[in-house]
Amino acid sequence: NFTLAPEAGSDALRASINKPIPHESIFETVKGICKQGWNNIKLYFMIGFPGETVEDVIAIRNLCLEINKYGRQINKGRFKLHVSVNILIPKAHTPYQWAAFESRESANQKFDLIINDLRKQKIKVDYPDYDAASLESVLSRGGRELSDVIFNAWRKGARFDAWREGFSPEIWDDAFINANINPTDLNSK
């Protein structure tokens, strides 16, 4: 695989996140990759940036469809596009540290705008489990107050939580309740 991380679908949003790579440059890079014989390209994107619009989300889908069409033409159908769309995890000490984590409803609407059309074109699409992403957001912005939550979750069996099959939101919910901490408060900073 050849991997590119445009992060956002539109020029305007990429510029606002300080990744001012124009659409034409992304497309020209993909052309060069395909002409060099690469058959597999993976693209990374994020949703949930402050100021993101529906048009920005649709631009992710459109860019992927355009790249897929071109790759199939150049490589005579022997082309695979793999797209990963994640939710922005606001982290401390970054420009987005005070941004709220994307709501479940909004994230699902955005995933629907992107994923359905891509899968119809046989484009592989990965996206995160919302509860796992939300937990990551809480843990990345929390402090010492979360030590009891983490310890209690571990005691109740939280282990390989990075894998969907190993993640149990119920264990974490109980750990937050026992520590008397509302994770929503940390995600809505």
Side-chain angles (χ1 to χ4, degrees):
N1 285 338
F2 200 104
T3 303
L4 302 172
E7 307 293 350
S10 70
D11 289 347
L13 190 54
R14 280 192 299 276
S16 78
I17 64 170
N18 203 22
K19 197 165 189 179
I21 304 167
H23 176 83
E24 294 79 25
S25 293
I26 294 170
F27 199 63
E28 288 302 316
T29 300
V30 169
K31 283 181 183 180
I33 293 167
C34 289
K35 286 180 179 177
Q36 292 295 319
W38 290 85
N39 292 327
N40 299 311
I41 293 180
K42 185 169 186 178
L43 301 174
Y44 283 98
F45 294 96
M46 284 193 283
I47 60 168
F49 287 110
E52 181 179 69
T53 65
V54 171
E55 291 78 19
D56 293 321
V57 176
I58 291 170
I60 293 172
R61 179 192 68 200
N62 293 344
L63 179 60
C64 293
L65 290 172
E66 187 176 357
I67 288 170
N68 190 57
K69 182 180 176 183
Y70 181 79
R72 287 183 184 274
Q73 287 173 349
I74 290 294
N75 293 338
K76 298 176 179 50
R78 292 182 22 237
F79 179 78
K80 291 183 183 172
L81 183 61
H82 182 178
V83 177
S84 179
V85 183
N86 290 293
I87 303 170
L88 174 70
I89 306 291
K91 301 233 174 25
H93 311 293
T94 69
Y96 298 114
Q97 70 180 352
W98 303 117
F101 182 70
E102 189 81 7
S103 74
R104 182 184 303 271
E105 180 182 359
S106 177
N108 287 339
Q109 288 171 351
K110 291 174 182 181
F111 286 138
D112 286 345
L113 283 172
I114 298 167
I115 293 168
N116 295 333
D117 287 340
L118 296 185
R119 286 193 172 153
K120 287 177 188 173
Q121 296 299 316
K122 297 186 173 136
I123 297 171
K124 182 179 178 184
V125 183
D126 293 330
Y127 60 98
D129 175 84
Y130 183 85
D131 292 322
S134 179
L135 176 63
E136 181 182 345
S137 178
V138 169
L139 294 177
S140 71
R141 296 201 284 189
R144 291 179 180 176
E145 74 279 5
L146 294 182
S147 60
D148 286 339
V149 173
I150 295 167
F151 182 69
N152 287 330
W154 175 81
R155 279 194 1 215
K156 292 181 181 187
R159 302 289 189 282
F160 304 101
D161 292 272
W163 291 277
R164 286 186 182 187
E165 60 273 2
F167 178 65
S168 173
E170 296 80 17
I171 288 174
W172 287 96
D173 291 343
D174 289 345
F176 278 105
I177 289 168
N178 289 337
N180 200 29
I181 294 175
N182 183 350
T184 305
D185 294 341
L186 292 171
N187 261 341
S188 60
K189 286 188 174 189

